[in-house]
Amino acid sequence: MPKIHLIDVTNRDGVQTAKLGLSKLEKTMINIYLNEMGVFQSEFGFPTTRHESLYLQANLKLAEMGVLKPIRLEGWIRAIASDVETAFKLVPNIRHLNLSISTSDQMIGGKFLGRKSRDDIINSMVEAVDAARSLGTETIGVSGEDASRTDLDFLIKFGLAAKEHGADRLRYCDTLGYDNPFTIYETARALAENIGMPIEQHCHGDLGLAVANSIAGAKGTIDGGQDAYINTTINGIGERAGNADLVAVILAATKSKGFAEKYQLAGSINLSNSWEIARFASYAFGVPIPINQPGVGANAFAHASGIHADGVLKDPENYELYNFKDLGRGEPRFVETGREIIAGQYSGISGFRHVMGKMKVLFSSKEEASEVLELVRYANVESQKPLVEDQLLFIAKYPKIAKKLLTLTPLK
Ligand SMILES: [Zn+2]
């Protein structure tokens, strides 16, 4: 039976969001949390963007070291052969790519302004797939941007050409969030049946349907006989109204009425990491989690009215679909209300050793402590907000990787 795989695109679609961004260390932490959660793949960045190069290389090194394992790290580029070449020049050990090009007549006319025909779109894509294959890419996903407004027959032709040239998946991008669960089900099923290749759902929330569409699209793909992939972002952060929220997709796939009896998530997803990953992304992006967000919102397990409170106290299942502990909630949180020593860009060695000592990190020498402190200062310069414990521990454990992440090389 085909399964549903999760590809998180926080480090691509999430950071592309207007007014938001992440530091390279924060992006790395996101990859680490996604890996711990059991997410299949992280679209971890932009291999043709120069300021990403060292971050991408450092994360591939972490994969090599077994720190980012088994998660698959995949880069997003345009489906243009020269972009594939640039990607391999800047990040020679990249092994997984997603190649994207617009497929709808709206975008072919409205973006390329008559310079490209439908045939040109397919040619550009297959040239890029060929280049990626010849340069050693292990898996290739091909994206049809604005696929939901693309003529279905053309999209099938596009997918078949991709498959013929050795692509592994077709990403169906509902770029504008235009689909609804009924239309996306039919389309995903038709694509799976006619192309005979796994289909990836990339859904946006412009009509409030990103999670519902992802689930319906996955069902259509599996009913069409193929493995389904769903693109998510943490807390649904993404362009405009956002993407399908990672935790909500997992909840919908595993807890909604009858769905998991036939349609299952691949691998083992640790739902209990939800609370941690949602809180970190909220902090790193500087975007609060809405109180009514599924699973991780402050009100997700709060009851006030008499009938509900009485009912949930008698039996939580009266008013709760799943337990807060399933999401990793329930541990008390300690907030410092007295003296606080913080490690930052102007910290000295004594305060830093105090902060690290509280986390039971002891340095073998003053030199080692100074070296890690220097990296922490730079990390704080980069993110402009206090580092969380996991970030400090990461820098202390992998100083060489941290140094690479914190090195930005401008154009010569
Ligand atoms: Zn998107």
Side-chain angles (χ1 to χ4, degrees):
M1 190 72 191
K3 293 233 155 82
I4 303 170
H5 307 259
L6 300 179
I7 298 181
D8 190 86
V9 299
T10 304
N11 278 333
R12 202 275 300 167
D13 218 317
V15 298
Q16 255 176 255
T17 309
K19 305 165 197 168
L20 300 181
L22 295 174
S23 75
K24 305 305 181 199
L25 177 60
E26 287 164 346
K27 291 184 80 168
T28 304
M29 299 310 295
I30 295 274
N31 292 329
I32 289 173
Y33 290 132
L34 289 170
N35 182 51
E36 285 170 359
M37 201 162 178
V39 170
F40 173 74
Q41 181 166 311
S42 171
E43 188 156 275
F44 73 143
F46 305 87
T48 55
T49 303
R50 285 175 174 272
H51 64 70
E52 291 267 277
S53 299
L54 292 179
Y55 149 76
L56 296 169
Q57 288 171 19
N59 276 257
L60 291 169
K61 180 75 190 164
L62 286 170
E64 231 179 271
M65 290 158 64
V67 180
L68 282 175
K69 206 176 168 186
I71 197 165
R72 195 184 268 181
L73 301 174
E74 157 260 317
W76 184 98
I77 59 175
R78 295 178 301 175
I80 302 173
S82 59
D83 273 26
V84 177
E85 283 151 22
T86 305
F88 273 88
K89 207 155 72 190
L90 294 175
V91 192
N93 49 343
I94 191 101
R95 287 295 168 267
H96 306 283
L97 284 175
N98 186 276
L99 312 172
S100 179
I101 194 160
S102 312
T103 50
S104 67
D105 286 343
Q106 162 66 40
M107 286 202 178
I108 293 174
K111 272 171 68 173
F112 300 125
L113 304 172
R115 290 191 305 271
K116 274 188 167 56
S117 65
R118 282 185 176 183
D119 285 345
D120 295 333
I121 296 293
I122 291 186
N123 287 338
S124 178
M125 180 271 293
V126 296
E127 278 170 29
V129 172
D130 288 346
R133 273 277 167 247
S134 71
L135 287 164
T137 315
E138 285 167 23
T139 69
I140 301 170
V142 167
S143 287
E145 191 193 22
D146 203 19
S148 52
R149 293 193 297 176
T150 300
D151 171 59
L152 184 59
D153 289 335
F154 176 64
L155 200 55
I156 291 168
K157 194 176 165 194
F158 178 84
L160 284 169
K163 183 185 167 191
E164 203 177 293
H165 284 256
D168 299 276
R169 282 193 298 282
L170 175 67
R171 176 177 295 182
Y172 175 83
C173 298
D174 183 17
T175 307
L176 271 69
Y178 174 53
D179 259 309
N180 62 57
F182 314 103
T183 54
I184 204 169
Y185 172 84
E186 295 298 337
T187 307
R189 186 168 182 158
L191 292 172
E193 285 173 349
N194 288 288
I195 301 171
M197 184 161 74
I199 305 295
E200 212 176 299
Q201 305 300 326
H202 180 90
C203 299
H204 277 274
D206 300 72
L207 299 176
L209 292 168
V211 173
N213 284 345
S214 301
I215 294 294
K219 176 176 157 61
T221 304
I222 290 177
D223 287 352
Q226 294 294 325
D227 268 327
Y229 291 75
I230 294 178
N231 288 181
T232 62
T233 64
I234 305 161
N235 300 334
I237 297 283
E239 299 259 27
R240 305 179 315 280
N243 295 57
D245 168 41
L246 170 67
V247 172
V249 164
I250 298 169
L251 288 171
T254 56
K255 314 279 186 194
S256 68
K257 199 170 180 178
F259 191 79
E261 285 163 24
K262 192 168 166 203
Y263 308 94
Q264 279 137 23
L265 293 174
S268 64
I269 297 289
N270 302 313
L271 185 61
S272 61
N273 290 34
S274 301
W275 179 239
E276 183 185 40
I277 200 167
R279 273 180 53 216
F280 179 76
S282 162
Y283 179 71
F285 277 116
V287 177
I289 299 173
I291 62 169
N292 58 341
Q293 187 160 310
V296 296
N299 269 5
F301 299 95
H303 308 275
S305 76
I307 291 170
H308 281 234
D310 177 61
V312 89
L313 287 168
K314 283 178 177 145
D315 179 355
E317 286 188 25
N318 283 330
Y319 286 102
E320 289 174 359
L321 205 49
Y322 41 84
N323 196 290
F324 59 82
K325 289 187 182 138
D326 298 348
L327 292 116
R329 299 179 70 146
E331 293 293 318
R333 276 173 70 185
F334 296 103
V335 179
E336 188 59 70
T337 59
R339 180 179 302 121
E340 239 187 313
I341 308 290
I342 288 165
Q345 54 194 300
Y346 302 112
S347 289
I349 195 72
S350 147
F352 179 62
R353 286 188 107 149
H354 171 83
V355 169
M356 298 307 279
K358 275 180 98 173
M359 295 186 292
K360 311 272 185 282
V361 177
L362 299 170
F363 297 103
S364 56
S365 63
K366 204 178 167 199
E367 288 68 38
E368 193 200 350
S370 302
E371 192 192 322
V372 175
L373 167 60
E374 186 69 348
L375 294 167
V376 166
R377 287 178 180 146
Y378 273 77
N380 185 230
V381 168
E382 199 206 4
S383 70
Q384 289 297 312
K385 54 178 114 50
L387 306 187
V388 302
E389 284 192 3
D390 282 350
Q391 288 174 301
L392 293 168
L393 292 170
F394 176 86
I395 294 172
K397 199 166 174 193
Y398 307 109
K400 283 202 183 95
I401 297 281
K403 188 173 179 184
K404 196 158 189 177
L405 289 171
L406 295 166
T407 307
L408 291 179
T409 316
L411 265 177
K412 283 175 201 96

